[in-house]
Amino acid sequence: MNEELHERIRAVVASVPEGTVATYGDVAALAGASTPRLVGRVLAEDGHDLPWHRVLRADGTPAPHLAREQLARLRAEGVLADGQRVDLRRFRWRPL
């Protein structure tokens, strides 16, 4: 992955507003990435300073190894989950 794409992914994640979520696919589409997996890779390797907790799987669930912390951070921002799933119809970020 080139540095420009890496930075575009970071910029999109950084722009997800508090109280909303995006999917890995949403971020990939906005950044021009070929696959949502690249978004996960960037967040895993270089996402500690980003609002990584606002990025979810396409079904509205967090990765199992992050679920407890991710859902707690989202809850603190007013994003409520039904069990382990966030209602994307309600909380999904819709950039113009």
Side-chain angles (χ1 to χ4, degrees), residues 2-67:
N2 66 45
E3 187 65 27
E4 183 180 319
L5 176 57
H6 181 98
E7 291 306 318
R8 283 197 316 263
I9 290 170
R10 285 183 48 82
V12 171
V13 172
S15 67
V16 178
E18 184 175 324
T20 66
V21 296
T23 66
Y24 291 96
D26 295 338
V27 174
L30 289 167
S34 60
T35 175
R37 291 182 183 271
L38 292 176
V39 176
R41 186 169 138 203
V42 168
L43 290 177
E45 295 173 0
D46 189 30
H48 65 280
D49 61 333
L50 296 172
W52 59 267
H53 59 284
R54 297 179 190 148
V55 182
L56 299 168
R57 294 171 167 178
D59 66 357
T61 61
H65 68 287
L66 300 171

